[in-house]
Amino acid sequence: EAIQIEVSAHPSKENANNDTNPLPDTWVNPIPGGQIIYIRIENIESGEFIIIPVTINIFNTPQITQPSDLNLCTDDGAFGLFLLTEVEEELLQNVDGKVEVSYHGSSGEAENNSNPLDPIYQSINNSETIFARVQNTSDFCYAITEFKLFSNPAPGVAPLVNQAIERILNNCY
């Protein structure tokens, strides 16, 4: 059987019992860290109702800093071997509390916390985007940012002389 119900949220159990002072649909928690609100579920036909306490816990997202990109020059023009943890000092400079950092190849993997990259990472292109996920160890709050990896060939050095014979330096300063 289908029954009609009415659901409302209240700041106190007394308000929920009396069906007074319902919280608005858009509501901001006024108590730091969270609070208990009371959900009233009422059968419209019979007037019977139940009250369910709901604990709201509020956690802070880690306040990460956008890290600088990582650049690497390679002698043979191959892709570089990067130490991804080099960004952590800059990334975590404003973070309070314990966090875990993981690195991912896509924003979706960072969101889902799947397929983390090894912190010693062999790049596969001359330019790549890496996504860093910083998660509080005490709760499930996390923040995600990105930075780039650039593998560049080392600049060539012109020969000192254009002659095929070697030159000897007699005096060095």
Side-chain angles (χ1 to χ4, degrees):
E1 284 182 51
I3 58 170
Q4 285 190 315
I5 60 169
E6 185 174 287
V7 178
S8 57
H10 301 266
S12 71
K13 190 171 185 176
E14 181 182 331
N15 288 155
N17 276 324
N18 297 327
D19 199 17
T20 59
N21 196 23
L23 297 172
D25 290 340
T26 303
W27 169 74
V28 176
N29 172 42
I31 300 173
Q35 74 178 80
I36 298 175
I37 63 170
Y38 298 86
I39 307 299
R40 177 186 171 107
I41 303 171
E42 182 176 348
N43 180 327
I44 299 296
E45 293 176 20
S46 68
E48 295 175 343
F49 64 89
I50 61 170
I51 297 174
I52 301 170
V54 175
T55 302
I56 297 175
N57 293 313
I58 299 176
F59 301 103
N60 293 323
T61 302
Q63 298 301 306
I64 60 176
T65 303
Q66 177 66 43
S68 300
D69 297 331
L70 296 179
N71 291 285
L72 186 66
C73 291
T74 58
D75 290 332
D76 57 5
F79 304 128
L81 188 63
F82 289 89
L83 182 58
L84 300 178
T85 56
E86 286 182 20
V87 301
E88 288 184 15
E89 183 176 338
E90 188 176 7
L91 178 70
L92 303 176
Q93 66 185 348
N94 295 320
V95 173
D96 294 327
K98 292 186 88 173
V99 294
E100 292 177 352
V101 180
S102 58
Y103 302 96
H104 304 268
S106 73
S107 61
E109 289 174 344
E111 284 289 334
N112 296 323
N113 202 18
S114 62
N115 300 322
L117 300 173
D118 191 308
I120 300 174
Y121 178 71
Q122 175 67 52
S123 64
I124 55 175
N125 288 310
N126 288 334
S127 174
E128 291 183 55
T129 301
I130 300 296
F131 297 85
R133 176 187 172 108
V134 179
Q135 181 170 333
N136 292 333
T137 57
S138 60
D139 57 54
F140 297 104
C141 292
Y142 64 91
I144 295 174
T145 191
E146 63 185 69
F147 60 95
K148 294 201 180 301
L149 305 179
F150 295 103
S151 293
N152 301 302
V157 177
L160 293 175
V161 293
N162 291 331
Q163 300 171 2
I165 57 171
E166 293 183 26
R167 294 181 65 185
I168 299 172
L169 295 176
N170 293 325
N171 297 315
C172 295
Y173 299 99

